Amino acid sequence: MRTLDDLIDAEDSALPLVKEWAQGTKHSFEVLPPSQDRERVLLALQVTTRSTMGAVAYETGGLLLDHGWLRVLGSGHPKLPRNIVDWNKERSAGFLLVADDVVGGFFAINGGGLGDDAGAMYYWAPDSLAWEPLEIGYSDFIEWASTDRLQAFYADLRWSGWEAEMKSIGADQCFNFYPFLWTKEGAVQTSARKAVSIAEQYALNTELAANMGG
């Protein structure tokens, strides 16, 4: 097991690159300050701060993008009261949950449990309840989230006035839709929506996917 001295690279951190992406984006990209848990988080992850994931985990409390629509997990912060290590406990197997969104979608790095492309990013889509390969790695995912491709990706999962609703929902919450978005009757424009905890939504998705044989 590598020590903090092995994992922290003060001279070659990936954080400046993350901040460069944040400064170049047209939508909001908030880099939250790190928490006091950051050393424990980095030790548990065993990735260096030279990597984008290591830098996000150790040097930020997380990232909030596009009015908080997308939340990338770091060491935790009052605005994003979850860290990447504790969030994965008893939730992930064969993958690592690294981000989620306000419509109940979850992003993960494949650890071998989602396919043969270990290290690749996947999206657990709320409108299919299926893990969909993104064909990019974590670093490319963070850069991707800073571009207009984020809006294109979510074009079918947004409704008129969604920006205003972001002000009343926390980063530890998401919207639950009924009828569910993966049903024929479900749609973001017509389904009733309410704010629920992200943990509750993940548990519901897991149960529904299991019942569907997914």
Side-chain angles (χ1 to χ4, degrees):
M1 184 172 179
R2 290 184 288 182
T3 67
L4 281 173
D5 287 341
D6 298 325
L7 300 173
I8 298 171
D9 192 326
E11 297 182 358
D12 193 19
S13 167
L15 184 64
L17 182 58
V18 174
K19 288 186 173 180
E20 182 181 319
W21 292 331
Q23 292 168 357
T25 188
K26 295 179 181 177
H27 53 255
S28 60
F29 189 132
E30 187 174 3
V31 180
L32 299 172
S35 78
Q36 295 180 348
D37 275 341
R38 65 180 188 164
E39 291 184 354
R40 178 178 66 85
V41 169
L42 189 65
L43 278 172
L45 281 181
Q46 287 289 294
V47 294
T48 76
T49 57
R50 293 182 64 185
S51 71
T52 307
M53 185 169 70
V56 170
Y58 181 73
E59 303 200 60
T60 85
L63 312 174
L64 297 177
L65 293 95
D66 209 2
H67 305 278
W69 180 282
L70 176 65
R71 300 76 76 98
V72 179
L73 301 177
S75 60
H77 184 273
K79 282 188 175 183
L80 181 51
R82 293 175 285 139
N83 68 64
I84 188 173
V85 170
D86 294 338
W87 175 245
N88 274 276
K89 288 179 180 176
E90 299 181 3
R91 287 193 176 91
S92 61
F95 55 88
L96 183 73
L97 296 164
V98 296
D100 43 69
D101 58 44
V102 78
V103 287
F106 297 87
F107 293 90
I109 298 174
N110 179 23
L114 301 176
D116 296 330
D117 52 348
M121 291 289 300
Y122 275 71
Y123 181 56
W124 200 12
D127 54 354
S128 69
L129 277 192
W131 284 105
E132 302 173 355
L134 300 181
E135 300 181 344
I136 55 175
Y138 180 90
S139 184
D140 288 337
F141 166 70
I142 302 300
E143 181 184 16
W144 165 86
S146 73
T147 71
D148 292 343
R149 288 174 288 173
L150 184 71
Q151 282 75 27
F153 182 80
Y154 283 116
D156 294 333
L157 289 171
R158 286 180 166 173
W159 58 95
S160 177
W162 67 268
E163 297 98 331
E165 294 188 48
M166 294 300 99
K167 298 176 183 178
S168 62
I169 192 166
D172 58 345
Q173 296 177 303
C174 68
F175 286 112
N176 173 276
F177 294 85
Y178 191 81
F180 300 123
L181 298 183
W182 50 267
T183 65
K184 183 174 64 174
E185 300 80 13
V188 290
Q189 297 86 358
T190 57
S191 290
R193 59 182 173 271
K194 65 176 181 178
V196 300
S197 76
I198 195 75
E200 179 183 341
Q201 188 64 48
Y202 188 83
L204 176 63
N205 286 8
T206 301
E207 180 181 354
L208 291 171
N211 291 338
M212 294 165 59

